Amino acid sequence: LGYRGSGETLKREEFEGRKKAAEQARINKLRAAPKALASAGKDVSAFPLLASLAEREEMVRNGKLTTIIFIRERNAKGQEVSGYIDYAHRLKTESFEPYFERKKKLMPKPSDLSFYNWETQTSTSNATPNFQVIADNEAGLLFKNKRDRKVINVDPKARPGDNSRRIELQTPEYTQVVLYDHVTRRKT
C-alpha cells in the first residue's frame, strides 16, 4: 500500500544517473537564454505607438502587464477599421520585428480580441489566452482578464477598472490609438 511507480525497480547507479540527468535538464532550462526583445536596438522614438509598445514589451512578455491596443485606421482598401488587439497574444503568435522596423503597419485583424469594419459592418470578437470578451453587457464592450479575473472597461467616459489605465496616444500614423494597460496581480 502507498507504493506507486511503473513497477520497474532501479539499481542505485541507474537512479543516480537519472537523477543527475533530470537535474541537468532543470539547470539547462533555467540557463536558457531569454528571447531577445523584438524592439531591441530599433529606434522608434519618432513613432509614439511603436515607442510605447517597445517600452512595454519586456513586462508584457514576462506576464506582469497585459496591454490591449485599440486602433482605428483605414485599411489598404480605404475602409475604416477598428479593433482591440491583445498585445501579449500577438507577441506570442507573430513576429513583431517587421512592425518595429516599420516594414509592416500594425492593424487590427478579424482574429483579434475585437474587430470592426465600418464599411462592410463586419464585426468579430474572439477570446485570447489572456482575455475573455464580454460584448453583451449594458455597460458596453468589456474585457475580462483571465489571470486575475478583473474587468477592463474600454468606454472612454468610464474608469477602465482596477489595476488598469487608459492612455490615449496622438500619432500621425493612425486615426486613433488608445492603450489599456492592466497590471496583473497574480505572480507568474
Side-chain angles (χ1 to χ4, degrees), residues 138-179:
E138 60 189 42
L141 186 62
L142 305 172
F143 298 106
K144 185 177 182 182
N145 186 294
K146 288 183 179 178
R147 182 173 288 158
D148 64 8
R149 297 197 184 99
K150 296 281 184 190
V151 173
I152 297 165
N153 188 342
V154 292
D155 181 351
K157 294 175 186 76
R159 283 193 56 245
D162 295 344
N163 305 333
S164 302
R165 18 175 261 200
R166 177 182 200 277
I167 300 118
E168 189 138 356
L169 293 178
Q170 299 303 320
T171 172
E173 304 111 321
Y174 297 96
T175 307
Q176 185 181 11
V177 176
V178 183
L179 299 178

Side-chain angles (χ1 to χ4, degrees), residues 2-187:
Y3 176 77
R4 290 189 122 160
S6 61
E8 171 189 6
T9 308
L10 300 175
K11 290 186 172 65
R12 172 63 60 190
E13 303 85 53
E14 289 175 329
F15 171 76
E16 294 294 339
R18 285 189 186 182
K19 184 178 170 187
K20 261 195 182 117
E23 182 65 20
Q24 193 60 46
R26 190 183 69 79
I27 289 169
N28 289 346
K29 189 177 177 188
L30 289 173
R31 272 200 208 126
K35 192 170 188 320
L37 298 179
S39 57
K42 298 180 181 66
D43 180 25
V44 290
S45 55
F47 304 91
L49 175 61
L50 294 178
S52 297
L53 295 181
E55 195 180 291
R56 291 164 173 75
E57 185 181 4
E58 189 172 5
M59 280 183 67
V60 168
R61 282 193 192 272
N62 293 341
K64 290 180 174 77
L65 179 75
T66 53
T67 299
I68 295 173
I69 309 162
F70 172 77
I71 292 178
R72 185 165 62 104
E73 181 57 294
R74 295 203 172 270
N75 65 12
K77 295 177 184 169
Q79 302 166 325
E80 189 172 330
V81 295
S82 61
Y84 292 90
I85 302 167
D86 177 356
Y87 185 38
H89 182 60
R90 275 279 197 105
L91 275 173
K92 278 194 178 100
T93 56
E94 71 176 285
S95 169
F96 253 69
E97 292 202 1
Y99 298 118
F100 286 117
E101 290 166 351
R102 296 182 315 282
K103 291 178 182 166
K104 219 171 152 187
K105 188 173 183 177
L106 181 63
M107 289 292 284
K109 298 178 181 176
S111 58
D112 283 320
L113 272 172
S114 175
F115 172 84
Y116 187 67
N117 183 320
W118 293 85
E119 307 274 322
T120 62
Q121 308 281 299
T122 309
S123 172
T124 63
S125 62
N126 308 288
T128 67
N130 306 309
F131 292 101
Q132 176 186 339
V133 181
I134 305 169
D136 54 357
N137 193 290
E138 60 189 42
L141 186 62
L142 305 172
F143 298 106
K144 185 177 182 182
N145 186 294
K146 288 183 179 178
R147 182 173 288 158
D148 64 8
R149 297 197 184 99
K150 296 281 184 190
V151 173
I152 297 165
N153 188 342
V154 292
D155 181 351
K157 294 175 186 76
R159 283 193 56 245
D162 295 344
N163 305 333
S164 302
R165 18 175 261 200
R166 177 182 200 277
I167 300 118
E168 189 138 356
L169 293 178
Q170 299 303 320
T171 172
E173 304 111 321
Y174 297 96
T175 307
Q176 185 181 11
V177 176
V178 183
L179 299 178
Y180 296 90
D181 285 342
H182 178 72
V183 179
T184 51
R185 285 186 314 175
R186 208 177 290 172
K187 290 176 177 70

